Amino acid sequence: MKKMFKTIATSAIVLGMMSQATMAADYLVSLNSKMAAFLESRAYAAKMGATAEFRKMEGVAYDKKNNMVYIAMSAIDRGMSDDKGDIKLPQNKCGIVYALPLNSKYNANKMIPEVIGGKYNKKNMDRCDVNKIANPDGVDVDSQGNVWIAEDTSNHQNNVLWKWDVKRKKLMRFATVPKKAEITGLHITANDEIFFNVQHPSAMSKFPYNRAVVGVINGFKATDSFRELKVPKGDDMLDVKVAKGSYQVLSRVGEQIPNGVYANRFGQINNMDGTLKIVCNHPDGNMYLPINSNGSFGYLYTNYECRPGGVVKTYIRNNGKSWEVLEGENVDFASVNGTWNNCNASVTPWNTGLTSEEYEPKATKSGWKKNVQDVTQYLGKQANPYHYGYPVELIPDTRGNVVTTNLVKHYAMGRMSYEMSKVMPDNRTVYSGDDGTNVVLFKFVADREKKLDAGTLYAAKVKQNSDQSLSIKWVELGRSNNAEVYEAIQAISLR
């Protein structure tokens, strides 16, 4: 994802460029600690022999029809193309989507190139070929097994939402958003409805897209046929264009939430003392949790990717032609010490949301306080960097005790730069994208179905094949539970 603060991008670059050995010497937690697998997951995985060379691991999607996982990577460069280590691929600045076939136990042992970006030419206004993907970010799969790909790129003048027809191996341009804007929150429901957002658009875009919006496609399902959209020109470059149906804005940053419960503007993030911290112009992952059998009404959770982060819950209803927003809330994260850089998201098979804390703050002895200064101000007390960098489960209260959302931060799943996590149909196996440079592919297997509070964390060790696919062996990092990891965090000395 693009970030609103230069320090965010800078910290990610520094994280990737620093050697694991250099970083290990400076951690607040030793890599010899029994909790290192869960608190410094990436560095510990590298120590245990896992491959820490991946670049910008983004969205993760599951294809039920073909029992396949898809993972987007914004670019193949740096550790993936430096002719060192396990991965020695040709550089591709335009990115790739990998397919990971699964066995009956939802285990992946191979990554196969599926959709490849390019060709790159830095002299062109569109540096990546306009008829191919550029820096893929969000991915999802419709009920026919076709892959939808959302871009986060400056290598196309207008970011594109693509459909990849798996059978025909054909890429089709479905939507474009205004210049400077990113497509986030790609989410395809069980009914093949398509949600996506327009993140951080230029103020020079056409109204209402001069501010970020959350939206949905009406009059079109992801499995419907359409005629491919042309590359936008002129004023169309400042607008949202779709190949079929219409794009409906459900919410716009800064506007009032109808019948709001807590902090009443979309994207509003308050400090713990109730004062305004920020109105975040970065809506990201969407999670639609249907309530009724046909999916016509339910809760839409939307991430807001700032520091501290936020999530908005809206109650929406489909009237047969469009969607209505009935009420909502900015979710209160006080019970988990706030949240951080909420990026992409997914819905669990048991109908809860999983929001993601991206670019975990570096917990190094030199500089850790500066790395969490935004959330320290938010809390009104010194923040602990180890409280951030996990999936957080969003659970509407079915017992009726509260009107807000119940939260569980899953420390047992390990701490990394979570782009998103995707739970498999066994209700136990989870694949996670680790966004950054020189990062790791992780897998978590829960002890119990529908409970992510305890389990075993694994990291991938890959071997490159002659066809540029990657074979996977899984390195077991450790087993723990939320309570044990949280207790270890509380015991860390921050002096």
Side-chain angles (χ1 to χ4, degrees), residues 65-112:
K65 184 175 181 180
N66 299 298
N67 198 31
M68 188 87 69
V69 165
Y70 291 96
I71 298 179
M73 294 189 191
S74 285
I76 297 177
D77 58 5
R78 303 193 188 184
M80 296 183 76
S81 62
D82 61 1
D83 291 327
K84 299 176 183 178
D86 299 327
I87 307 175
K88 302 175 182 178
L89 293 169
Q91 185 183 62
N92 183 340
K93 291 180 176 291
C94 301
I96 191 169
V97 176
Y98 279 103
L100 286 68
L102 303 178
N103 63 19
S104 60
K105 295 183 178 180
Y106 299 99
N107 186 59
N109 59 26
K110 200 170 189 179
M111 302 176 66
I112 302 168

Side-chain angles (χ1 to χ4, degrees), residues 24-35:
D26 199 31
Y27 289 133
L28 292 172
V29 170
S30 168
L31 292 188
N32 294 320
S33 164
K34 67 177 184 179
M35 286 290 108

Side-chain angles (χ1 to χ4, degrees), residues 66-343:
N66 299 298
N67 198 31
M68 188 87 69
V69 165
Y70 291 96
I71 298 179
M73 294 189 191
S74 285
I76 297 177
D77 58 5
R78 303 193 188 184
M80 296 183 76
S81 62
D82 61 1
D83 291 327
K84 299 176 183 178
D86 299 327
I87 307 175
K88 302 175 182 178
L89 293 169
Q91 185 183 62
N92 183 340
K93 291 180 176 291
C94 301
I96 191 169
V97 176
Y98 279 103
L100 286 68
L102 303 178
N103 63 19
S104 60
K105 295 183 178 180
Y106 299 99
N107 186 59
N109 59 26
K110 200 170 189 179
M111 302 176 66
I112 302 168
E114 178 69 21
V115 189
I116 302 172
K119 181 177 178 181
Y120 180 85
N121 187 336
K122 65 180 181 180
K123 295 181 181 180
N124 292 342
M125 292 292 290
D126 290 288
R127 290 182 289 271
C128 292
D129 187 334
V130 294
N131 294 310
K132 294 185 178 181
I133 60 171
N135 309 121
D137 191 0
V139 288
D140 210 344
V141 180
D142 64 34
S143 61
Q144 292 181 354
N146 297 305
V147 184
W148 291 73
I149 305 167
E151 293 182 344
D152 169 14
T153 184
S154 58
N155 290 322
H156 281 165
Q157 293 183 80
N158 293 84
N159 278 214
V160 181
L161 175 60
W162 301 93
K163 177 181 179 179
W164 172 251
D165 187 315
V166 172
K167 287 186 177 179
R168 295 191 296 164
K169 302 297 181 184
K170 183 178 180 181
L171 193 65
M172 300 178 69
R173 186 184 299 102
F174 176 77
T176 59
V177 296
K179 292 175 68 174
K180 308 294 185 183
E182 172 189 343
I183 298 175
T184 61
L186 173 62
H187 176 60
I188 299 176
T189 71
N191 291 333
D192 286 310
E193 293 129 338
I194 303 173
F195 289 85
F196 71 85
N197 309 331
V198 180
Q199 192 191 78
H200 59 66
S202 165
M204 305 307 290
S205 301
K206 285 186 177 180
F207 184 88
Y209 308 118
N210 54 324
R211 288 191 222 161
V213 302
V214 175
V216 64
I217 301 295
N218 289 319
F220 176 83
K221 297 292 183 71
T223 52
D224 292 346
S225 61
F226 65 91
R227 182 177 294 179
E228 183 178 14
L229 195 69
K230 293 181 179 180
V231 176
K233 296 181 180 180
D235 287 348
D236 285 348
M237 299 177 77
L238 307 176
D239 206 348
V240 172
K241 308 299 292 185
V242 296
K244 197 171 183 179
S246 61
Y247 183 73
Q248 179 189 351
V249 173
L250 296 172
S251 62
R252 186 167 175 260
V253 167
E255 293 187 350
Q256 292 283 340
I257 300 173
N259 303 308
V261 175
Y262 171 78
N264 355 337
R265 294 184 181 275
F266 290 104
Q268 181 177 338
I269 299 170
N270 285 353
N271 294 312
M272 290 292 193
D273 63 8
T275 59
L276 177 66
K277 173 66 173 173
I278 191 173
V279 177
C280 182
N281 201 36
H282 296 256
D284 208 302
N286 285 314
M287 300 151 272
Y288 180 61
L289 312 184
I291 293 172
N292 61 337
S293 58
N294 69 8
S296 61
F297 59 88
Y299 291 112
L300 176 66
Y301 286 93
T302 301
N303 287 343
Y304 279 78
E305 189 182 14
C306 287
R307 295 182 177 180
V311 173
V312 173
K313 178 184 80 174
T314 49
Y315 195 115
I316 61 175
R317 178 176 61 197
N318 193 312
N319 61 24
K321 294 182 179 180
S322 63
W323 293 82
E324 302 168 286
V325 178
L326 303 178
E327 66 175 24
E329 62 165 312
N330 277 290
V331 176
D332 183 359
F333 284 91
S335 64
V336 292
N337 295 293
T339 189
W340 174 277
N341 239 67
N342 298 73
C343 199

Side-chain angles (χ1 to χ4, degrees), residues 440-478:
V440 175
L441 173 61
F442 288 97
K443 180 180 72 171
F444 176 79
V445 180
D447 290 347
R448 300 177 295 165
E449 291 187 14
K450 301 182 181 181
K451 299 289 184 182
L452 302 178
D453 59 343
T456 303
L457 184 63
Y458 299 84
K461 169 74 171 177
V462 304
K463 177 183 177 181
Q464 186 172 318
N465 304 311
S466 58
D467 62 356
Q468 298 188 4
S469 65
L470 303 171
S471 296
I472 300 173
K473 289 186 177 180
W474 293 100
V475 178
E476 183 174 333
L477 302 182

